[in-house]
Amino acid sequence: MKRLELRECKRIVVKVGTSSITYPTGKINLGKMEALARELSDLHNAGREIILTSSGAVGAGVGKLNVPPPSNLQEKQALAAIGQGLLMHMYEKFFSEYSKSVAQALLTRDCFSDPERHQNFRNTLFTLIKLGVITIINENDTVAVDELKFGDNDTLSAMVAAGAEADLLIILSDIDGLYDSDPRQNASARLIPEVSEITDTMMENAKAKGSALSSGGMYTKLTAARLVTQSCIPMVIASSAEPNVIRRVAEGESIGTLFLPVTK
Ligand code: GLU
């Protein structure tokens, strides 16, 4: 697959992490969220089908109450219950500026492991797509307990992309792609523009934690990449700080890291 072929991808799942839409305090970064809504609305106008997987519920709860990051599961679940409503309120506001309708879907792991629930989820999602709605997905953090939990939205977005039969998954992050070594520790680390095989060594090297308010890191992104490319869907990791990054990826620009779909 060539980068330019990404232009043909119609159904796109975009995942944004907590740090892409909130400040480190958890307060919503209005500029970034507005830019995201504008860019996705414009792609939608151009004929693409958009599904957004958004983190930030716990972060937004922390920001709203001005409290420290949660130290246990109950606090995390309570903060997510506060923040999720706030997130959707802001998304609704920004997307409606561009005449877009949004829907919320909060999922748990059994939405993918239980065939009936999975089919229900797919039916609803396909109906929403047909209605021209942008569905915004997060984990249902408030009720998720260990057996029901994804824990990170990278894995969730990969399962959503597979379930939605998407043509492309774009994961936006505070890092601009996969490097050959940790760029925070090694100034000469180089970005890898394209990955055709995710090796165990890559996975091992990626085992560092993300930020205080999010659950993922490069390891969970590679896990997502493995999952999604095995479903024949390409995935791109790119930096949310790059201007117009989603459009640029969708137009086939060589930006971030492209994980090639596994051809069967
Ligand atoms: N679902 C969590 C939230 O919305 C985030 C999980 C993650 O950081 O991947 O806050």
Side-chain angles (χ1 to χ4, degrees):
M1 163 175 247
K2 301 264 177 300
R3 276 279 187 164
L4 279 182
E5 288 175 53
L6 298 188
R7 287 183 175 180
E8 312 303 323
C9 294
K10 187 169 168 70
R11 185 168 297 167
I12 304 177
V13 176
V14 175
K15 183 258 172 181
V16 289
T18 301
S19 60
S20 302
I21 50 164
T22 63
Y23 291 102
T25 53
K27 297 271 183 219
I28 291 185
N29 186 324
L30 299 174
K32 279 191 171 177
M33 201 188 239
E34 186 165 31
L36 173 69
R38 185 174 192 278
E39 211 181 342
L40 292 179
S41 299
D42 199 30
L43 270 181
H44 193 257
N45 282 348
R48 311 288 186 111
E49 296 166 347
I50 305 292
I51 298 162
L52 174 64
T53 302
S54 176
S55 304
V58 175
V62 165
K64 170 106 192 196
L65 296 190
N66 266 319
V67 291
S71 54
N72 57 50
L73 182 66
Q74 283 73 24
E75 272 180 32
K76 198 173 171 183
Q77 294 189 306
L79 287 163
I82 296 157
Q84 182 63 29
L86 181 58
L87 273 190
M88 283 312 293
H89 174 70
M90 299 313 295
Y91 276 129
E92 176 70 48
K93 184 176 153 70
F94 288 130
F95 276 104
S96 58
E97 289 274 314
Y98 304 104
S99 307
K100 296 297 169 199
S101 300
V102 296
Q104 170 186 262
L106 298 179
L107 306 178
T108 43
R109 199 171 258 284
D110 59 345
C111 299
F112 295 89
S113 57
D114 177 319
E116 202 180 319
R117 297 195 71 159
H118 188 49
Q119 198 49 51
N120 279 340
F121 162 63
R122 278 162 48 91
N123 292 345
T124 308
L125 192 62
F126 294 149
T127 307
L128 287 165
I129 292 171
K130 227 186 278 164
L131 289 170
V133 170
I134 295 173
T135 303
I136 302 176
I137 294 176
N138 196 358
E139 178 159 16
N140 194 347
D141 294 308
T142 301
V143 300
V145 286
D146 274 344
E147 318 78 74
L148 290 177
K149 229 172 23 183
F150 290 99
D152 71 89
N153 277 6
D154 295 322
T155 314
L156 171 65
S157 65
M159 294 182 90
V160 166
E165 297 169 25
D167 302 307
L168 172 65
L169 169 63
I170 303 175
I171 293 193
L172 296 184
S173 180
D174 48 7
I175 188 158
D176 47 5
L178 179 69
Y179 279 79
D180 59 359
S181 62
D182 189 344
R184 289 168 299 193
Q185 280 160 30
N186 178 3
S188 57
R190 279 176 318 167
L191 181 81
I192 306 172
E194 197 173 289
V195 174
S196 54
E197 193 198 346
I198 301 149
T199 61
D200 292 339
T201 319
M202 280 176 179
M203 299 290 295
E204 201 49 45
N205 291 341
K207 279 187 178 158
K209 203 192 143 0
S211 66
L213 291 176
S214 67
S215 312
M218 194 47 77
Y219 184 79
T220 55
K221 289 175 182 54
L222 291 185
T223 307
R226 260 195 175 164
L227 221 148
V228 88
T229 54
Q230 269 158 19
S231 303
C232 296
I233 302 168
M235 178 181 127
V236 173
I237 299 178
S239 166
S240 62
E242 280 288 338
N244 300 317
V245 65
I246 304 170
R247 169 166 286 275
R248 287 162 67 194
V249 169
E251 283 182 350
E253 186 179 322
S254 187
I255 186 171
T257 301
L258 167 65
F259 294 85
L260 296 168
V262 175
T263 42
K264 288 181 185 150

